[in-house]
Amino acid sequence: MGKTIRQLSEELKLSKQAINQRINSINGFRSKHTYKVKNHLEIDNQGVKMLANFGKQKRQDRQPNQQDKNDKNDKIDHILLKQLDVKDQQIANLQQALDQQQKLQMAAVAENQRLKEHIQKLSGLLEPSSATQQQQLNDKGDTLSNSSNASHSKGKNDKPNHVVDEKQKRIHKNKPNKNWWHFWK
């Protein structure tokens, strides 16, 4: 013979609402373990045992679930650790590449500096040469101006000046052109 919800609540020291919640939480409990006697709902002996062990059963059900969760968490942790190792290796490779790039950059800067110094040294050697050329031009200009002054000082006779100009033109024509731009003419 079964027990009513009221009798079961007194025996288990639970409220009627708690008993009803347990009944509703177990699938198919009402159809398998309850029957109606007059105006009361009675629970058979197997149903009473199920409701009495409900808390223990829940804990036992939770334990395998908890173990499964722990296993899943361990697997996830293992996967994440592997990923971290891979990322650490990638970071190390990138750091090594960055170090190499910085060394190459520093070498290129040093080479550029050395070339600048070499160019400055060469241009320093060329400047006196161009200064010498400038001096030679100035000397020619002085010579020409001296000769023109001499011709003006002769006075009326302009033929000797003209003769000197013709001689310079002949010398200039006979002199080979050593400039590179004469090829462009």
Side-chain angles (χ1 to χ4, degrees):
M1 193 155 157
K3 296 185 180 181
T4 63
I5 292 178
R6 184 177 197 181
Q7 291 170 341
L8 192 57
S9 70
E10 290 172 1
E11 185 179 313
L12 296 176
K13 296 181 183 175
L14 294 171
S15 66
K16 288 193 252 180
Q17 290 85 5
I19 299 295
N20 277 324
Q21 284 178 349
R22 287 182 178 190
I23 289 171
N24 291 334
S25 67
I26 299 172
N27 288 336
F29 185 85
R30 285 191 187 270
S31 63
K32 293 178 185 175
H33 303 288
T34 59
Y35 54 92
K36 205 165 200 180
V37 175
K38 295 188 182 178
N39 288 338
H40 301 288
L41 185 67
E42 289 191 10
I43 303 167
D44 64 7
N45 288 335
Q46 189 178 3
V48 170
K49 287 179 186 177
M50 284 178 70
L51 291 175
N53 294 328
F54 182 78
K56 293 177 187 176
Q57 184 65 30
K58 276 280 194 181
R59 275 185 243 122
Q60 288 174 354
D61 289 345
R62 285 184 199 154
Q63 284 176 351
N65 288 340
Q66 190 66 29
Q67 186 63 33
D68 289 344
K69 286 181 183 178
N70 288 341
D71 290 344
K72 287 179 184 178
N73 287 340
D74 288 343
K75 287 178 183 178
I76 290 171
D77 288 346
H78 184 70
I79 291 169
L80 291 175
L81 286 173
K82 281 185 178 180
Q83 287 178 348
L84 278 175
D85 288 341
V86 169
K87 294 299 178 192
D88 287 344
Q89 185 64 34
Q90 288 174 345
I91 289 170
N93 290 342
L94 288 174
Q95 185 65 37
Q96 186 179 12
L98 182 62
D99 289 344
Q100 269 184 330
Q101 181 185 10
Q102 287 175 344
K103 287 177 184 176
L104 289 173
Q105 184 73 22
M106 287 174 31
V109 167
E111 181 68 15
N112 284 344
Q113 185 65 29
R114 189 183 66 74
L115 289 174
K116 279 183 182 179
E117 290 172 1
H118 186 68
I119 289 171
Q120 287 175 352
K121 185 177 178 182
L122 289 177
S123 67
L125 292 175
L126 291 177
E127 284 177 10
S129 170
S130 61
T132 306
Q133 288 176 353
Q134 185 65 34
Q135 184 64 32
Q136 288 173 352
L137 288 175
N138 288 341
D139 289 345
K140 283 183 183 178
D142 288 345
T143 308
L144 288 177
S145 65
N146 286 339
S147 67
S148 68
N149 285 343
S151 68
H152 284 296
S153 65
K154 287 184 182 178
K156 298 177 184 176
N157 195 1
D158 287 338
K159 282 188 178 181
N161 189 18
H162 182 63
V163 173
V164 172
D165 286 341
E166 287 181 22
K167 284 183 182 179
Q168 285 179 351
K169 285 182 184 177
R170 271 188 258 139
I171 292 171
H172 185 66
K173 283 184 181 179
N174 292 336
K175 189 176 181 182
N177 192 355
K178 294 184 179 179
N179 297 329
W180 65 269
W181 56 83
H182 77 280
F183 293 112
W184 293 101
K185 290 182 179 181

